[in-house]
Amino acid sequence: MAHLLRSQGYTAARDIIRRDYDSSLEYARRMNFRCMLVVGDDSAGGGCRAVRTRDGRTLTLTMEQLLQNGLMKFIEESQGDE
């Protein structure tokens, strides 16, 4: 996923440390990330959740939707929202 985002011109970081959701969101906010992607999320039925860190807005995506630009659309909608 990080490779896909980078190929689209985005900066992407992978967090390899296991954290609970709230700790991950706090970390993403501290690092000034606009969006956080939770992959293989149980609450998303094994799919993914894209989370806008500023306000916690969440988009649940299947892996198919994720690869068909559902994530890119969400990221684009979050750009400029400071």
Side-chain angles (χ1 to χ4, degrees), residues 41-71:
D41 186 20
D42 290 337
S43 69
C48 302
R49 275 193 296 167
V51 181
R52 186 167 56 193
T53 58
R54 177 177 47 84
D55 59 6
R57 179 178 167 225
T58 300
L59 174 66
T60 301
L61 299 160
T62 64
M63 290 305 261
E64 292 80 25
Q65 291 170 320
L66 185 67
L67 296 174
Q68 293 174 354
N69 287 333
L71 175 62

Side-chain angles (χ1 to χ4, degrees), residues 20-77:
D20 63 27
Y21 176 82
D22 291 332
S23 296
S24 293
L25 185 56
E26 179 183 322
Y27 175 76
R29 287 176 174 153
R30 259 194 341 265
M31 299 306 294
N32 295 316
F33 297 149
R34 287 192 176 133
C35 294
M36 174 177 81
L37 181 64
V38 182
V39 179
D41 186 20
D42 290 337
S43 69
C48 302
R49 275 193 296 167
V51 181
R52 186 167 56 193
T53 58
R54 177 177 47 84
D55 59 6
R57 179 178 167 225
T58 300
L59 174 66
T60 301
L61 299 160
T62 64
M63 290 305 261
E64 292 80 25
Q65 291 170 320
L66 185 67
L67 296 174
Q68 293 174 354
N69 287 333
L71 175 62
M72 301 306 175
K73 182 178 177 189
F74 181 80
I75 291 171
E76 289 297 325
E77 289 172 353

